[in-house]
Structure formats: C-alpha cells, structure tokens
C-alpha cells in the first residue's frame, strides 16, 4: 500500500501569512470596476452617439476584448506576484526608465478619471435624483459650473481625508458603500424588470409635463430633426460602442496592484480577475437589454442625444439613473438606486487615489521621485505627501474637465491603455528577457507550439487592448487623435522619460546607479 | 565606502548566492546580512518502488513523481523558496513520523544548509569579507554556532555586539517584539531598549554607527504588515487590504535619541522602503526570496555619513 503523501513540514515562522483568497480578490476588483460608472456613461454616450451600436452587444464585445487582457494580467500577477502592477512588470522587463514612464502615464490617467468620477457623483447620480423628485430649489447646485465644481471638490477632498485618516476608517466606509452599491444595483434591476414599456412612457410623459420638457414621442421627433438617426444595430457599430463599457472593466484586473498579498496567486487571481470581469459584463449586458425593453432603444438614444447637445427641452441630467427613477413610483427605490450609483462612483475615487499614491511611494522608494513622497504620517501612518500630490493632481484635472473643452471624456484612457499596452508587450517579452525569473514562475512549463503561454496570452491581450486603442484613436466622441490630445499623451511619456534621465544623472554623481535597481544579479 | 545590505533570506540558496555575487555586481566594499537566515520548512521526498517518488505537499495534493528530472525540478524549486529537502526510503520515512523526529530532521537540515553558506562565503575575495551578519527572530539559537562560529571567519556575528570595521561600527540585535508565532527570539520593548542603549553607549560616535537590527522602528513606514483575521488569513476588502504596524517603539526611541548614521532593518517582508528619523536613514529592503529575487540596498557612505542609497531588486 502506498504511504500517504507527506505534508511539507512548515515551521511556525513569522511571515508565513496565508494571504487573500479568490473571493477577496473578486470583491477588491468588482469594487474598482465601478458598475455604476460603466452604466451611467455607456447608457448616456453610447446611446446618443452610436446609433448603430447595441449597448448589450457592445458590453459583450467589451468583455471579449477585456478577457485576454485579464488573462495576460493573470499570467503577470501569478508569475511575478508582487504588489505594484504595471510599474513592477515593465521595470523588471524593459528597465526602470520605461517602467517609470508607463507607470507615470497610467497614474496621471487614472487621476483624471478620479476627477471625472467626483463630478459623476454629482452630475450622473445626485442631480438626476433631485430632478426626478422635482426639487427645483436645490437644482441650481447641479446646474452651474460653480456648483458642480464645489460638489465635486468636496467629494474629492472628503475621499482624500478619508484615506489620510488611515486605512481602517477607509475600509469601514468601503464596506458600507459596497453594501449600498449591491442594494442599489439590485433595486435598479428590479425596477427595469417590473416596469413595462407602456408604463415607462406614461411615467415619462407625466414627468415631462410637470417639468415642461418634450414628451416621449416629441423627444424622438425633435432628436431626428436635430440629426439623430436610429439605425439597426450592427456588429461593427457595437464594436465601436464597446469603448464605453471597456473602461470600467479594466478595474477587473486592478488586483495586479496588490499581487504580493494574494495567496496561491494562480488560482485566486484567476477567480478574482475573471470573476469580476464576467459578473460586471453580465450586469452590463443585462441592463443593456432591459433598458431597451423598458425605455425603448430609439427613445434612449434620442433623449441622451438631445441632452448631450444641451437642448433646453430635455433634462440635462438625462441618463439611466434619471430614466429608471422616472420609471419607479417608489421614493425608497429611487433613493436606493441613487445611493447605489453614488457608491459605485465613489469606489473609483479613493481606490485610484490609493493606487496612485502607492505608485508615487514606489517611485520615491526607487529614488526616482523626491524623498518627501516616502514620508509617512506619524499619527495615521499614511503617505502624507504622496496622497496630497494625487489629490492635488486630481483637483487640477477636475478644473480642466469642468471648465475647459480640452479633455474629451476618454482621451486619458488612451494614455492608460498605452501604458497597459507596454505592460502587455513586456508580458510577451518577459519569458525571453528574464528567463531565470520566468523559470521560477508556475507557468514556466506551459507552452503551445514551443511558445510560452504567457507570451501567447500577452499577445492576445495586446490584440484585445490594441483593438480598443485603435477604436479610441478613431473615435472623436470618446477620445480621438486631435493635436492637443496627441501632444498631451505623448508629452506625458516624454516628460516621464526626461525626468527619469535627469534623476539618473543626478544620482550617478553621488555614486548610485538607479538604472541597475532591477537588474538581476547573475549567479552560476 | 559602499555597502550592500540584504535580509530575510530564509534559507534560499539562490538568494544567498546572489548576496555573495552582489559584492562585485554593485561594487560594494562591505556586505551586511540581516536576520532570518533559516529556511521555512522541510520538504520530504520518499523514494517508492519502480522509480517513483512521493513528494511532500499540501494535504490531499497529487504528489507522485515518475521521472528523476521532475524530482530535480521540485528540489530546485524548494531550495529557491527556502525549504530544505530531505530524501528517504519508504521504511525510513515510516519510522520518522513524530513531531520530535521532524524537529530533529529540521535542525540537521538547517545546520547543513548554513554550513554550506559559510563554505560559499569563504570563496569570496578578501575585499568583500567579512560579512557582517545579525540573526533574526526566526533563527533558532544554534545558528550562530554554525554560520559564524568565530569572529575570525568569513561571517561575523554582530548580535548584541559592537563590531568595528574601518572607522565605522556595526551594532546588531536579533530579537523582535512578540509575534503571533512564538518565534525563537522575541523580546519585550523594555528589553530591546535596554540592549540597544547598552550597545550604543559603548560607541564614542553614534553618528558613525550602523544598526543591523532585525525589527524595524514603529510607525515610520517600514513595519507595515497585513492585518490578519482570527483564522490567520489576510483581510482583504473592497478597495484594498488593511494593514497593521509590527515594528518596535523601543527601536524608534533609540534611533531618535542616538541618531546613528544608518539603520538597516528587516522582519516585515512586504514593508520595503526607507524613512528618516531625524538624521538617521532607516531602510527595510523587504524580501522576495521565495521568487528567487534578492531585495537589497546599496548605501554610499563618506566621512560625513550617508551620501546616497538605492533599494535594489535583483
């Protein structure tokens, strides 16, 4: 009889801490996908400006394009299970100069979206809620640029204060907000499932009558006269639309930032990354179909089209939040849905501030950023200046986003996507450029036709994300490639590379070669 | 003077070889090694009949290997991760099954592993020697006798000692504050304070002193550890993972009071970073030896103190 498999004898040594499991990683990622932001932006912009796109099919396509990206990031996070994400992967493979540039561009991009999310809480959740409840006395806050700026600024700095005050308080708030987000999402689904198309039309007409807006049919007619065209949904049209649901799905791979804390990374990152992408994708698809059934595809496009044009006879806060609130007669459901959206949009802000401040801290530890960014607050043990820096940058972006036309909504996603493309390219090259490190990876033996699976997966990720980049490049609504945008994105890369070189020369004079920080020490 | 510091190697032969190679790679004048040199566990490999091997693993996992090269691959991975490998035939394995047996086997494995490290160190050029080392809280009390049996060898033990090199002094302290795992070297804060003060009082110029203390100072960013649930797993919640601080108040107090030039710390593998306490540069390079990566720190010193430094990940 065979003896039983012996267990590894493991000492009770400190540091042998069992880390996070698959469910933990899943919750982390789904919080950063921000279903609310995805729904709000997709159902506004996609409905209005992509008449040949089906939101549901676009969401499905976004999932299909994101899955290979998730797969590549899974390979990375389980091959090099260290916290730090893009900065670590690219520095290790292509060197710290490119690693810093990719991380810098990525972080700046995410901070822009933290500002967008701060405004979205106001413009896409609070404002529609107050309008649906028809409380004109507070509407002024949401109408004026000053009011929007004030609310978003308060939200941004509340998030900063929350993070600054310590992680324990932050996680307590996270738990509450996650519960709210789930309840709100279920409430929204309930409303869409239990409201028929005729009931919605009737409710919308009553709302429009009270508010002095165009009714349901008039909205469609006026939109057509203004240039809106309803066409049948096509595959290519839905492909172009996919850029909108794709952005939030990137959050499904954000667990690369906490890779060092995940036990059994192969299994648990797989559960967390794919589980969150698939669940969010299913929700996006479901809401896509349901919104068409209840609101009507043509009406949803027409009303959002007119709202985006600033037409005075439709609500400027038109989005899925407003439409679904109009469709329900329950004030309780109204506030649950609103709270859910606010919670989803909230997640993105401190999540990004925390992610970026960790990157800034890492740059400082690697002697690329000033030493002050490594300072930890004595009372709360949080990185004071790194956090402050991220909040200030996000604040600046808020100003630019609200008061200038310079930044189209998704232009910075192009920057972040390019940074991730570099990380994916690093994934293609990693098995060849870092063979001894790769040999220690759990994926070292996995090959197809002699090619490491990590290389193949990263190539698939390049195709998936590359498709989105091409779409964004050619999409003047989402991003485009006008000269200011190109200068902005490429300028960020150039600034980062130049800064790194300046620091490298400065340190060299003191006897330290920072470019060797990630060189592997050779042994026989 | 340029020195290279690494810590928490946990028995990884790959990491120790890189540590020795770091002297030439980073053109260092001196090597300083932190504590926790002992491996994490013992991986038994049992030879069955018909050229098959049963390899230790987690409960209920498949672990029969049928090719010698698979065994070698498993052995190499174990060494990289800091596990000691021991081979048995079936009868021998069935005889040794008690905890006491495993403890004894583990001790033998540790001693063998550290003897090998000492032998490897002897091959270093004289310019790189000696290595100044201090044990850590995970290291059993017998490790000094194996790795640094005398102060004349390639490795000098600095634990609870003041060791002079050039115009500098190194002071080491191995014990940490109490941990959930009841490790071999744990002290209260009072004991840590008294020991360090006693050592620093022996040095004429504390600003020419380098601390090689295993447990980092509390609350300056070098002692972050994941908060644990009651079952020992790490907490992870929407948006991130909560942290706790596992450093020493006593160490911090001593650094504030005496202001040595440099503090080299370890213990918390994931808390890689640096901080200034007054004029003292404090560094914890962290540890990733289970992935074959040697984290370290290159420090450039002159007569005035620390000129510059760089955290490395090789």
């Amino acid at each position: 009889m065979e003896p039983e498999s012996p267990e590894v004898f493991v000492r009770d040594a400190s540091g042998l801490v069992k880390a996070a499991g698959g469910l933990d990683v899943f919750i982390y990622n789904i919080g950063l996908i921000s279903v609310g932001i995805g729904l709000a932006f997709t159902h506004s912009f996609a409905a209005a400006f992509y008449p040949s796109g089906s939101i549901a099919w676009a969401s499905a396509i976004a999932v299909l394009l994101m899955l290979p990206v998730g797969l590549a990031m899974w390979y990375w996070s389980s091959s090099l299970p260290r916290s730090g994400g893009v900065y670590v992967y690219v520095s290790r493979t292509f060197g710290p100069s490119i690693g810093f540039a990719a991380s810098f561009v990525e972080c700046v991009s995410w901070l822009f979206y933290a500002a967008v999310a701060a405004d979205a809480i106001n413009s896409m959740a609070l404002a529609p809620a107050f309008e649906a409840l028809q409380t004109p006395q507070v509407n002024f806050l949401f109408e004026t640029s000053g009011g929007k700026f004030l609310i978003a600024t308060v939200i941004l700095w509340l998030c900063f204060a929350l993070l600054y005050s310590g992680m324990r308080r932050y996680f307590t708030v996270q738990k509450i907000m996650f519960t709210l987000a789930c309840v709100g999402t279920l409430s929204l689904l309930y409303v869409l499932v239990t409201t028929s198309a005729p009931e919605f039309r009737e409710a919308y007409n009553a709302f429009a009558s009270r508010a002095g807006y165009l009714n349901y049919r008039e909205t469609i007619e006026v939109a057509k006269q203004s240039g809106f065209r309803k066409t049948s949904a096509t595959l290519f049209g839905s492909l172009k639309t996919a850029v909108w649901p794709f952005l939030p799905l990137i959050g499904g791979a954000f667990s690369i930032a906490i890779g060092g804390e995940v036990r059994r990374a192969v299994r648990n990152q797989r559960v967390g990354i794919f589980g969150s992408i698939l669940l969010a994708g299913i929700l996006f698809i479901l809401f896509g179909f349901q919104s068409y059934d209840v609101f009507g595809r043509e009406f949803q496009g027409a009303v959002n089209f007119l709202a985006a044009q600033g037409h005075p006879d439709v609500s400027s806060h038109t989005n899925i939040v407003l439409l679904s609130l109009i469709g329900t007669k329950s004030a309780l459901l109204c506030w649950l849905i609103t709270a859910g959206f606010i919670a989803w949009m909230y997640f993105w802000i401190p999540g990004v501030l925390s992610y970026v401040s960790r990157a800034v801290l890492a740059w400082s530890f690697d002697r690329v950023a000033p030493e002050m960014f490594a300072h930890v607050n004595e009372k709360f043990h949080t990185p004071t200046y790194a956090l402050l820096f991220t909040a200030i940058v996000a604040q600046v972006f808020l100003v630019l986003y609200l008061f200038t036309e310079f930044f189209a909504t998704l232009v910075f996603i192009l920057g972040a996507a390019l940074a991730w493309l570099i990380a994916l390219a690093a994934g293609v090259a990693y098995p060849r450029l870092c063979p001894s490190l790769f040999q220690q990876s759990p994926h070292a033996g996995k090959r197809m036709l002699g090619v490491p699976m990590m290389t193949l997966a990263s190539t698939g990720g390049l195709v998936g994300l590359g498709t989105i980049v091409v779409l964004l490049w050619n999409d003047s609504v989402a991003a485009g490639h006008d000269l200011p945008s190109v200068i902005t994105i490429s300028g960020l890369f150039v600034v980062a590379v130049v800064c790194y070189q300046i620091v490298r020369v400065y340190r060299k004079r003191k006897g330290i070669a920072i470019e060797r920080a990630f060189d592997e020490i050779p042994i026989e | 003077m340029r020195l290279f510091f690494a810590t928490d190697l946990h028995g990884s032969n790959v990491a120790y070889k890189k540590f020795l190679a770091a002297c030439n790679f980073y053109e260092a004048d001196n090597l300083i090694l932190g504590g926790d040199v002992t491996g994490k566990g013992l991986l038994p490999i049992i030879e069955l009949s018909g050229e098959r091997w049963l390899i230790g693993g987690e409960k209920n996992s498949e672990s029969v290997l049928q090719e010698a090269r698979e065994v070698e691959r498993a052995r190499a991975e174990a060494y990289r991760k800091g596990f000691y490998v021991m081979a048995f035939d079936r009868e021998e394995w069935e005889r040794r099954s008690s905890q006491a047996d495993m403890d004894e086997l583990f001790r033998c494995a540790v001693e063998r592993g550290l003897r090998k490290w000492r032998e490897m160190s002897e091959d270093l050029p004289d310019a790189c020697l000696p290595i100044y080392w201090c044990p850590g809280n995970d290291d059993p009390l017998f490790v000094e006798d194996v790795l640094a049996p005398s102060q004349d060898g390639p490795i000098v033990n600095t634990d609870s000692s003041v060791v002079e090199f050039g115009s500098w002094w190194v002071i080491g302290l191995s014990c940490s504050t109490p941990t959930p795992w009841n490790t071999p070297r744990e002290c209260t804060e009072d004991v840590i304070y008294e020991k360090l003060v006693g050592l620093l009082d022996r040095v004429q110029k504390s600003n020419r002193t380098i601390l090689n203390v295993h447990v980092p100072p509390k609350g300056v960013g070098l002692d972050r550890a994941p908060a644990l649930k009651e079952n020992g797993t790490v907490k992870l919640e929407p948006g991130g993972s909560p942290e706790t601080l596992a450093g020493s108040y006593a160490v911090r107090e001593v650094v504030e009071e005496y202001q040595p030039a440099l503090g080299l710390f370890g213990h918390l593998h994931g808390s890689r970073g640096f901080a200034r306490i007054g004029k003292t540069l404090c560094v914890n390079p962290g540890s990733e030896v289970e992935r074959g990566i040697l984290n370290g720190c290159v420090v450039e010193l002159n007569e005035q103190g620390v000129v510059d430094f760089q955290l490395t990940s090789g």
Side-chain angles (χ1 to χ4, degrees), chain B residues 58-107:
Chain B
E58 294 186 28
K59 272 185 180 175
N60 302 319
S61 63
E62 287 292 321
S63 54
V64 176
L65 305 180
Q66 308 218 352
E67 292 182 20
R69 63 177 177 171
E70 286 183 340
V71 176
E72 280 316 301
R73 193 179 301 144
R75 191 188 293 264
E77 184 178 343
Y79 281 133
R80 174 176 54 81
K81 288 182 175 178
F83 283 86
Y84 301 108
V85 180
M86 283 203 136
F88 303 92
D89 61 36
R90 185 172 166 169
E91 289 74 23
E92 197 177 6
W93 174 251
E94 287 173 349
R95 268 200 316 273
R96 295 173 177 270
S97 56
S98 69
Q99 181 67 37
D101 289 335
M102 298 308 291
D103 288 343
E104 180 57 29
L105 283 172
F106 185 75
R107 178 178 176 137

Side-chain angles (χ1 to χ4, degrees), chain B residues 194-240:
Chain B
E194 283 167 16
K195 282 179 181 259
L196 281 175
V197 165
L199 293 166
L200 280 159
D201 282 342
R202 289 159 53 184
V203 175
Q204 291 172 346
K205 293 183 182 178
S206 61
N207 63 351
R208 304 289 295 177
T209 304
I210 298 169
L211 294 183
N212 181 9
V213 171
H214 191 60
V215 62
K218 192 141 189 140
V220 295
L222 305 181
D223 64 333
R224 301 185 319 273
L228 303 181
K229 301 176 196 174
E230 285 187 9
N231 63 1
T233 57
V234 170
K235 290 180 185 176
L236 191 63
E237 296 167 350

Side-chain angles (χ1 to χ4, degrees), chain A residues 1-21 23-32 79-83 87-88 92 167-168 170-172 174-175 178 258-264 347 350-351 354-355 358 361-381 430 436-437 439-442 445 506-524, chain B residues 2 4 10 13-14 17-19 21-22 24-27 36 38-44 46 48-49 52 54-64 77 80 83 90 93-94 99 102-103 106 137-140 179 181-184 218-222 224 226 228-229 231-243 245 252 256 267 269 272-276 281 288 290-295 298-300 307-314:
Chain A
M1 187 171 107
E2 301 288 350
E4 282 186 10
S5 301
E7 291 176 39
V8 175
F9 169 67
V10 169
R11 296 190 306 137
D12 286 335
S14 59
L16 284 174
V17 175
K18 295 173 196 164
L23 181 61
D24 299 315
V25 178
F26 168 80
I27 292 174
Y28 178 85
N29 283 349
I30 197 76
L32 279 165
S79 294
L80 201 60
R82 184 184 179 189
S83 297
Y87 179 57
V88 169
R92 176 65 64 181
M167 298 308 279
R168 182 170 290 180
Y170 165 60
F171 286 118
T172 301
Q174 291 291 94
K175 281 186 219 173
F178 188 68
I258 57 161
E261 296 154 74
V262 180
R263 179 176 79 97
R264 296 174 69 187
F347 269 118
S354 174
Y355 179 93
R358 279 183 182 184
L361 202 58
W363 303 340
S364 183
F365 286 157
D366 290 341
R367 312 293 278 139
V368 179
E371 198 170 302
M372 64 183 282
F373 289 125
H375 175 78
V376 172
N377 178 277
E378 298 253 358
K379 184 176 179 186
F380 299 117
H381 310 297
Y430 180 70
S436 59
L437 273 180
Q439 282 309 310
Q440 293 152 24
S441 150
Y506 173 71
R507 295 269 178 243
K508 191 75 177 175
R509 289 185 181 164
K510 292 188 167 188
I512 297 291
I514 65 169
E515 68 273 16
R516 305 207 75 186
F518 292 95
D519 286 353
E520 188 176 2
I521 301 172
I523 55 176
E524 80 279 7
Chain B
R2 181 179 301 165
F4 177 76
H10 282 289
N13 285 338
V14 168
K17 287 180 182 176
K18 287 188 174 185
F19 176 73
N24 282 334
F25 191 74
Y26 296 116
E27 297 173 9
D36 284 5
T38 315
K40 297 174 187 168
L42 189 66
L43 179 71
I46 301 121
L48 306 173
S49 58
R52 292 176 310 129
L54 197 62
I55 189 168
E58 294 186 28
K59 272 185 180 175
N60 302 319
S61 63
E62 287 292 321
S63 54
V64 176
E77 184 178 343
R80 174 176 54 81
F83 283 86
R90 185 172 166 169
W93 174 251
E94 287 173 349
Q99 181 67 37
M102 298 308 291
D103 288 343
F106 185 75
N137 66 301
D138 264 352
D139 295 321
T179 73
W181 299 279
N182 194 28
T183 55
K218 192 141 189 140
V220 295
L222 305 181
R224 301 185 319 273
L228 303 181
K229 301 176 196 174
N231 63 1
T233 57
V234 170
K235 290 180 185 176
L236 191 63
E237 296 167 350
S241 65
E243 293 179 330
L245 302 178
R252 180 169 178 169
E256 285 171 345
H267 191 45
H269 299 185
R272 181 173 182 263
F274 69 88
R276 302 260 183 197
L281 172 67
E288 290 183 80
E290 67 278 7
R291 294 157 205 149
I293 297 172
L294 180 71
N295 285 352
V298 175
V299 183
E300 193 77 29
V307 176
D308 208 348
F309 65 98
Q310 175 71 47
L311 292 171
T312 61
S313 185

Side-chain angles (χ1 to χ4, degrees), chain A residues 44-100:
Chain A
S44 296
F45 292 96
F49 296 109
Y50 302 76
S52 63
S54 156
I55 292 176
W57 289 117
S59 300
I61 291 170
V63 169
L64 289 175
L65 292 175
M66 183 61 201
L67 280 175
V69 178
L71 181 65
M73 290 306 178
W74 170 65
Y75 270 100
W76 259 128
S77 61
S78 47
S79 294
L80 201 60
R82 184 184 179 189
S83 297
V86 167
Y87 179 57
V88 169
Y89 304 154
V90 180
S91 295
R92 176 65 64 181
T93 311
F94 291 148
S97 173
I98 300 177
F100 173 69

Side-chain angles (χ1 to χ4, degrees), chain A residues 9 44 83-84 92 102 162 177 193 215 279 293 328 353 475 480 500:
Chain A
F9 169 67
S44 296
S83 297
R92 176 65 64 181
L162 182 63
M177 298 304 259
V193 166
N215 67 22
L279 177 64
D293 281 350
T328 177
L353 293 184
D475 186 339
Y500 182 87

Side-chain angles (χ1 to χ4, degrees), chain A residues 60-334:
Chain A
I61 291 170
V63 169
L64 289 175
L65 292 175
M66 183 61 201
L67 280 175
V69 178
L71 181 65
M73 290 306 178
W74 170 65
Y75 270 100
W76 259 128
S77 61
S78 47
S79 294
L80 201 60
R82 184 184 179 189
S83 297
V86 167
Y87 179 57
V88 169
Y89 304 154
V90 180
S91 295
R92 176 65 64 181
T93 311
F94 291 148
S97 173
I98 300 177
F100 173 69
S103 179
F104 180 81
V105 173
E106 179 202 25
C107 288
V108 169
S109 301
W110 298 144
L111 285 176
F112 174 76
Y113 290 106
V116 170
D119 176 64
I121 288 179
N122 164 24
S123 61
M124 291 199 155
L126 280 174
F130 281 112
E131 173 136 26
L133 292 171
Q134 296 185 317
T135 52
Q137 60 271 25
V138 298
N139 279 358
F140 78 91
L141 266 179
F142 312 115
E143 302 295 342
T144 62
S145 297
K148 290 180 187 178
F149 174 74
L150 179 66
I151 292 174
T153 296
V154 168
I155 291 168
L156 192 60
W157 287 97
L158 278 175
C159 290
F160 163 80
L162 182 63
L163 282 170
Y164 180 78
S165 70
M167 298 308 279
R168 182 170 290 180
R169 192 165 292 123
Y170 165 60
F171 286 118
T172 301
V173 173
Q174 291 291 94
K175 281 186 219 173
I176 296 169
M177 298 304 259
F178 188 68
T179 306
L180 270 177
C182 292
V183 169
T185 304
L186 290 172
S187 302
L188 176 64
L189 188 60
Y190 174 79
V191 167
L192 291 180
V193 166
T194 59
T195 304
S196 67
E199 284 172 344
F200 173 76
R201 272 199 292 274
E202 185 183 337
Y204 187 85
N205 287 340
F207 163 80
S209 174
R210 285 194 300 271
Y213 294 142
L214 300 168
N215 67 22
Y216 189 97
R217 189 178 302 181
E218 287 167 348
T219 300
I220 294 173
E221 290 305 317
V222 170
K224 283 180 180 174
Q225 290 163 16
S226 303
F228 174 75
R229 291 287 175 265
K230 178 206 170 187
T231 64
S232 300
T234 65
L235 186 60
F236 186 63
S238 300
L239 175 64
K240 289 195 289 183
T241 310
V243 296
W244 291 97
F246 187 89
L247 166 62
L249 287 179
I250 283 183
F254 259 53
S255 52
I256 59 175
I258 57 161
E261 296 154 74
V262 180
R263 179 176 79 97
R264 296 174 69 187
V266 174
R267 176 185 174 277
N268 292 327
Q269 286 281 18
R270 179 172 57 217
V271 169
I273 290 173
F274 296 116
S276 60
I277 292 170
L278 288 172
L279 177 64
I282 288 170
L283 286 173
F284 288 163
I285 293 168
L286 193 60
F287 283 118
F289 281 126
Q290 280 304 118
S291 68
Y292 284 169
D293 281 350
V294 177
F295 308 143
R297 181 164 172 257
E298 188 175 31
F299 171 77
Q300 189 173 1
V303 71
N304 280 289
F305 179 82
L306 290 178
Q309 307 288 338
H311 199 286
D313 294 329
V314 299
S315 168
S316 59
H317 308 122
T318 298
N319 63 6
I320 188 173
V321 181
L322 179 67
L323 297 180
S324 58
L325 297 184
I326 289 169
T328 177
K329 296 182 177 60
S330 164
L332 174 63
L333 280 174
C334 177

